[in-house]
Amino acid sequence: MQDFWFPQINANIFISHSHNDEKKAITLAGWISETFHLKAFIDSCVWKCSNDLLKIIDNDFLVSGMMVFI
């Protein structure tokens, strides 16, 4: 699960945003790249919808309201 959801990405900046602001986040990342020559990691470009990840975590690791890591 970790390798799929959290790939190793060489980035200087992490950009997280609401679903409605995806185009703004991508535009911001492009501007940062062109202006400062820095690479941005945009969460939705890798993870798509965080609700899918949260659902997997809940189903696999949530037991009686408590988080369990194995």
Side-chain angles (χ1 to χ4, degrees):
M1 183 172 95
Q2 182 174 343
D3 291 339
F4 179 77
W5 284 98
F6 302 101
Q8 295 297 313
I9 296 175
N10 185 18
N12 307 101
I13 298 171
F14 174 81
I15 300 175
S16 183
H17 59 88
S18 71
H19 178 74
N20 293 334
D21 293 333
E22 183 174 17
K23 289 181 182 179
K24 291 178 184 177
I26 292 169
T27 300
L28 175 62
W31 177 79
I32 289 170
S33 176
E34 289 180 19
T35 305
F36 301 106
H37 306 288
L38 297 173
K39 184 175 180 182
F41 173 91
I42 304 173
D43 59 358
S44 67
C45 290
V46 174
W47 298 331
K48 303 300 177 209
C49 181
S50 63
N51 289 336
D52 295 341
L53 173 58
L54 294 173
K55 190 179 296 182
I56 290 170
I57 291 171
D58 285 349
N59 290 341
D60 291 350
F61 299 104
L62 193 63
V63 178
S64 299
M66 297 177 59
M67 188 69 67
V68 178
F69 291 98
I70 300 171

